[in-house]
Amino acid sequence: MSSNEYAELLQAAARFIRENDDFLVVSHVQPDGDAAGSTFAVAWMLRELGKTFTLINEGPIPAKFMYMAEDIPVVNYESNPPGRQFRRIIAVDCADPERIGRVRECFAPDAELLNIDHHATNDGFGHWNLVKADAAATVEVLYDLGEAMGIPFSQQLNVCIYSGLLTDTGGFRYSSTSPKVMRIAADLLSRGVQGHELAERLLETMTRQQVSLLKHCLSSLSFAADGRIAWLSVTLDDLKAASAGNEDMEGLVNYARNVEGVEVGLLFKEKGPELVKVSLRSSGAVNVAEVAASFGGGGHVRAAGCTIAASLSDAVDQVVKKVEAAMA
Ligand code: 5GP
Ligand code: MN
């Protein structure tokens, strides 16, 4: 995409926001740091513009991200459905409408949707699609949008954007860490964002449950393709034994991916008797977005995910075979 085309997408998004009100802001199910950061970043931008809005996620936003909310309420759709529909939707960090989950039930039949994202697999499901596949995070696109609209950046907005950049680049380490990412981060630091505090909070700190889960999970480490593929699994029993929840599994896949010689690391998360969520990570040699897409999921070349209706052992067989084929 040329810089002119991107500028036009930014202007179209800016018009949609300026000319409307009463927005529903939604990110994907089981939000990560970029999804949560983007949701709250949009909220702080809309507040700056004097717009009304409602933030809704299918489930709870993990407690560790709630420092970004301050006094802004977030609706948990499953426990507290809003009982009304919305005509102006802003979806952030969602590659396809499935990722929005049940919050789609809040869309009015004539709803207009602005899709803001950075996934190469984004299917352009919005009426407006502000999608930049070479952005490291959705918050990077929101930074550009804020600048294009001339919105004053509050300290809360700065913190949300920094948080999304930090988490989606794995602490400014992944290949997505472009000069532009570092320039934005530097800009935010110079405006007073406490980068070390956010790194400690978002990347260093582990809950007791996370460590306990890690203890269980590491015993499942297995290899295929001469050590080029490694995987871990988490059963529902493991979760129970560690008193852990979904958010405690974040980052686990890296223990498979980071083993010397491994090109693709996988994490298989048992969700039910015949339901497994898979996280895929690649050193870059294998495009795991393609592997995930072949199971109805998606993501990025080096980080992707999908859900498979099978037992844990069948899901392992199917995905490992697909990865082996992609390596051949
Ligand atoms: P994770 O493994 O951390 O859940 O997800 C890694 C990447 O893959 C993220 O960029 C996420 O947005 C994407 N992803 C994970 N699960 C799915 C899925 O079911 N569908 C799609 N399209 N993308 C997914
Ligand atoms: Mn993201």
Side-chain angles (χ1 to χ4, degrees), residues 67-123:
Y67 67 92
M68 290 186 270
E70 295 195 5
D71 64 326
I72 297 178
V74 189
V75 176
N76 175 339
Y77 184 84
E78 276 173 345
S79 66
N80 229 342
R84 59 159 287 200
Q85 291 193 316
F86 294 81
R87 297 186 58 236
R88 302 289 180 257
I89 320 290
I90 303 176
V92 288
D93 207 39
C94 296
D96 56 64
E98 290 290 309
R99 296 283 287 154
I100 294 170
R102 292 191 57 201
V103 178
R104 279 175 296 170
E105 294 165 13
C106 302
F107 297 0
D110 62 344
E112 291 182 9
L113 190 146
L114 168 60
N115 167 16
I116 307 178
D117 187 35
H118 71 122
H119 292 91
T121 53
N122 193 293
D123 67 5

